[in-house]
Amino acid sequence: MSSQRPLKIWITRAEPGAEATAARVRERGHTPLVAPLLAVRMVEDPQIDLSGVRALAFTSANGLRAFASACADRSLQVFAVGAATAQAAREAGFRRVLSADGDVNALADGIAARRSEIGGAVLHPGAAELAGDLAGALGRAGVEVRALTLYDTVPVEPTPDQLEALAQADVALVHSAKAGRALAKVLAAHPMPGLKVLGLSKAVLAPLTDTSLASRRSAPFPLEAALLNLIDRSA
């Protein structure tokens, strides 16, 4: 638990990740205010072709969960960004899971290093708007890759009751550039100049460059643990 005064932390990410982040914020002795600015919308009846596919690559737990709900096959090797996505893969029943504790480039490097043992195509299920260009990085490394859209995230407007509570927030956590754009739009209509914003990366905070804020700071690594470590430093 933090030795600093408890802070009110606005969780902007989509569910179900928002509740997982809220639990980690509570463990640090702070109060989460869960008001997602994005919602996950699944593609209806996705067509999944695994012919020639020898591995799966996921850059988010949402992508993993979307694939797991749409396809019963658990035999393929899984490559995942971060411990949370890797854990979600194991919980979904995948037995061969390797994680890259870094960003999309780290994941691409890890897959490229094993391309000879993979021996086939890598399927990259995920959102309509992907975080990073994994397919491009793998293609440049000589890895056959296919992208598959299984879901999208759409902006969500906070309710009046949520806005009243959020006016008391000390810090907002932003996990994606899309959430950053949604936050910038909300703050343009409902300014909160005393708010401090912490982002998963510099790119995540870019949409907030012209927004009036108390401060903005990005995590040194694109991992939620690194993002959460910034909370007490913002007190």
Side-chain angles (χ1 to χ4, degrees), residues 39 102 200 206:
L200 200 62

Side-chain angles (χ1 to χ4, degrees), residues 27-60:
E27 289 173 358
R28 291 170 176 263
H30 301 296
T31 301
L33 304 175
V34 179
L37 295 179
L38 300 174
V40 175
R41 297 285 185 267
M42 298 296 179
V43 171
E44 293 186 11
D45 191 26
Q47 302 302 305
I48 300 177
D49 180 7
L50 296 180
S51 58
V53 172
R54 296 293 179 268
L56 303 169
F58 297 102
T59 54
S60 74

